[in-house]
Amino acid sequence: MVEKKLESKMAAVDVAKAAENLRNLKLSGHVGFDSLPDQLVNKSVQQGFIFNILCIGETGLGKSTLVDSLFNTNFDSSPAPHTLPSVKLKSHTYELQESSVRLKLTIVDTVGYGDQINKEDSFKSIVDYIDAQFEAYLQEELKIKRSLSMYHDTRTHVCLYFICPTGHGLKSIDLVCMKQLDTKVNIIPIIAKADTISKTELQKFKAKIIQELNANGVRLYKFPTDDESVSEVNSQMNSHVPFAVVGSSDFVRVGNKMTRARQYPWGTVEVENEAHCDFKKLREMLIRTNMEDMREKTHTQHYELYRKKRLEQMGFSDVDSENKPVSFQESFQNKRSNHLQELQKQEDEMRQLFIVRVKEKEAEIKEAEADLQAKFERLKREHAEEKRKLEDSRRQLEEDIIEFNRRKQQFATLGNSHTLTLGKSKKK
Ligand SMILES: Nc1nc2c(ncn2[C@@H]2O[C@H](COP(=O)(O)OP(=O)(O)OP(=O)(O)O)[C@@H](O)[C@H]2O)c(=O)[nH]1
Ligand SMILES: [Mg+2]
């Protein structure tokens, strides 16, 4: 399969060469760079791989059971309560190994999804989580001293969207959420607990889901068909989406083999039996055929879009206002000079504002001073008036005292002469 992929990539390289007008040279002997693909494989195997899955679905839809079934292990998850006031994202990372290949697998669960009365914002914490992982990667990329090879890349490579097996089409929360996420992550919708829906209903249900997704312009992850080696199986599988899956943690003996299955009074549903459900198709597409494509699309499409928007937000651009290419340095210098100009403008505005304020305050102080002066003058006048009145009263009092004393004197003199007259008459 690797060889076929290489062949188709080399054909693309030939076309590029022709466009660039490069000369094709023949080697006269073995040089050895044909070992490059092996070198690449060895290096990748040494480094190990990272894959991050986001499971979105209502509480109890069988998310944990399905992931356990997919990786044939038990991730020890605990059931979520139905009482959370908002959706929370919980991530767990595991180290898995299959032959010599190590896989650092992160499984992110949306705890409490669909349990709120108001479901309008259910997607918000999911969008924030995905963006936060992109942002962390961008920050690492922008560092002067980067260590991307050691970096634990937590960007979401695939979103398994669990659809409730109602048979009635999608709920509005499904459409709103998938629409919000379709430019940020590779979405694979799956019908959960598909054993609870009959075969004929399932076909109608699938068709209804696809029709609703198309009508709302929701873009799903398409298994790539440009690579010859997998184009046939992938294009076939694209027509099976959404996969109707069944998960189980129980094993039942079928023939002489223990197999993952759900046992009911009327029969057994085998997880890996293609006549019973699409579990095998999902595992084939998700893990065995397209894991690398999802990792690549996450980096080249979804992250690229996020990075572009963020850098534009920061004021960077590849072209100037006249659509001429500008370098990162020019862009930075323009941004810096704009920033300095803006600062200068703000400083001038503040200075102007300060002058206006000072003038206002001065006028206020002058007014208060004039008020104070007028008050002082009035008080001075009142004081003088009061003083004059007091002076008049004092003068009046003094005159009264003089008059009083004069009268007293007069009275005393009058009293004396009266006593003398009385004495004379007594003698008689
Ligand atoms: N009928 C049916 N039941 C299933 C299936 N998968 C899981 N279940 C059952 O559904 C219940 C919930 O399964 P979980 O895997 O814990 O569901 P979950 O979505 O992880 O639940 P939370 O993490 O609590 O949100 C368990 O009783 C499972 O046995 C399925 O494919 N069909
Ligand atoms: Mg769970």
Side-chain angles (χ1 to χ4, degrees), residues 248-264 267-272 276:
S248 177
S249 43
D250 296 337
F251 287 82
V252 173
R253 181 172 291 280
V254 177
N256 56 358
K257 221 175 122 200
M258 292 302 280
T259 175
R260 238 176 234 278
R262 301 189 73 82
Q263 226 171 2
Y264 294 104
T268 304
V269 182
E270 291 165 41
V271 171
E272 296 195 31
H276 293 186

Side-chain angles (χ1 to χ4, degrees), residues 46 68 81 91 152 226 252 292 298 302 304 329 369 426:
Q46 252 177 30
D68 283 0
S91 94
H152 180 197
D226 48 0
V252 173
E292 183 50 30
T298 301
H302 304 303
E304 200 59 23
Q329 190 189 352
E369 206 177 88
K426 264 185 188 170

Side-chain angles (χ1 to χ4, degrees), residues 59-65 79-80 109 193 195-196 246-247 262 264:
T59 306
L61 256 189
K63 302 183 288 295
S64 305
T65 314
D109 217 341
K193 299 189 179 181
D195 51 332
T196 59
V246 174
R262 301 189 73 82
Y264 294 104

Side-chain angles (χ1 to χ4, degrees), residues 27 46 69 82 114 150 197 203 293 412 427:
L27 306 173
Q46 252 177 30
S69 309
H82 282 280
M150 307 289 287
I197 195 163
Q203 287 321 310
D293 183 69
K427 275 178 192 171

Side-chain angles (χ1 to χ4, degrees), residues 43 96 167 208 214 232 235 262 309 311 320 373 415 420:
K43 198 167 171 208
L96 309 178
K208 184 126 200 264
N214 288 340
E232 203 182 314
S235 60
R262 301 189 73 82
K309 279 190 189 158
L311 290 183
D320 62 12
Q373 186 65 31
L420 275 175

